[in-house]
Amino acid sequence: MLTVTVPDTDLLHRLDDLSDRVELVLWDLLSPLPTEVAERVSLVQIGHYWVQPDRWRRLTEVPNLRYVQLPSAGFEHALPLIPPGVTLCNGRGVHSTGTAELALALILAAQRGLPDALVAQREGRWFSPELPSLADRRVLVVGAGSVAQAVVDRLRPFEVELSLVARTARPGVHGIDELPQLLARTDIVVLTVPYSASTHHLLDAERLAALPDGALVVNVARGRVVDTEALLAELTSGRLRAALDVTDPEPLPAEHPLWHAPNTIITAHQGGNSDATYPRVAALLRRQLEHLLAGEPLDNVVTHS
């Protein structure tokens, strides 16, 4: 029988119909597993927002571990923590819906002045300025994965002019080499790319300077995809606007000037932090278990054993 650890009782209950074929063991990686159980485990499901390195050290105590399944699409934090010979799978698709919802909410809030309206409401002040619409804006989505596609799907009904950028060009998608020219005619740029050496400071001072005055930078990717100091300079000058679910550093220190930059909305990495996560993690893990039981390759493999 296949033995798998799950991080919480919610996931345990969602998969209990597999109990005749899969041994599901509740494990939070904080306490050691009994030796006889640890020897049987072949797959460990990582919990939501388990990013503390100390917690992952117990993976080395599972002698026959073959697979680690993440709940997140991002996996750069996990690479140095996975024992040798273990296959790592990410959670591509799990957070696409929640992250796209938040991206759209950030865009609408910035375009329609909701932060200022909430301040005016608390002050009892009637506030009715003319503000930019989302309709008719030129929106550039950087990234072409599941989050990018979910963002695009939600933007289409808003009557925007949409462009997509990926690492390499293909029909309907621009290549990353075209980014400077595309930014020059973009009203709203939405970042959805994974973080890697190639996307580090993808929006640097030069590329931020290419954006038109008043453009909105929306980051639901990783904080280090944007050069924070360069962005802060553009925000402080009042030339650009920003709506950020991720920052560099993260968590953002209380004294960091980005908190008080004009025309800036910040949420605390909330893209995937919704109750939509749990059924989607369960559905992905169920598919992975069915693959293993059938002797088939797993989905979303990012490193091979």
Side-chain angles (χ1 to χ4, degrees), residues 209-221:
L211 285 163
D213 291 355
L216 175 66
V217 176
V218 181
N219 192 359
V220 292

Side-chain angles (χ1 to χ4, degrees), residues 11-111:
L11 192 51
L12 192 71
H13 294 325
R14 289 180 188 275
L15 299 174
D16 62 4
D17 60 298
L18 298 176
S19 59
D20 59 332
R21 296 182 292 154
V22 179
E23 179 187 13
L24 296 170
V25 177
L26 190 63
W27 191 31
D28 59 9
L29 271 70
L30 295 176
S31 303
L33 287 170
T35 302
E36 66 277 11
V37 176
E39 290 176 348
R40 296 198 299 271
V41 171
S42 59
L43 186 150
V44 170
Q45 170 71 53
I46 300 297
H48 192 36
Y49 284 114
W50 287 6
V51 295
Q52 307 89 346
D54 287 350
R55 194 172 202 170
W56 293 52
R57 289 177 182 162
R58 294 207 179 275
L59 292 176
T60 61
E61 301 171 5
V62 183
N64 298 307
L65 181 64
R66 295 182 59 199
Y67 310 100
V68 169
Q69 175 66 56
L70 298 177
S72 61
F75 57 87
E76 70 279 358
H77 64 288
L79 292 176
L81 306 175
I82 300 300
V86 173
T87 295
L88 177 66
C89 301
N90 75 347
R92 183 182 187 274
V94 166
H95 296 305
S96 300
T97 294
T99 303
E101 285 177 354
L102 184 59
L104 184 59
L106 288 170
I107 293 169
L108 287 169
Q111 291 297 101

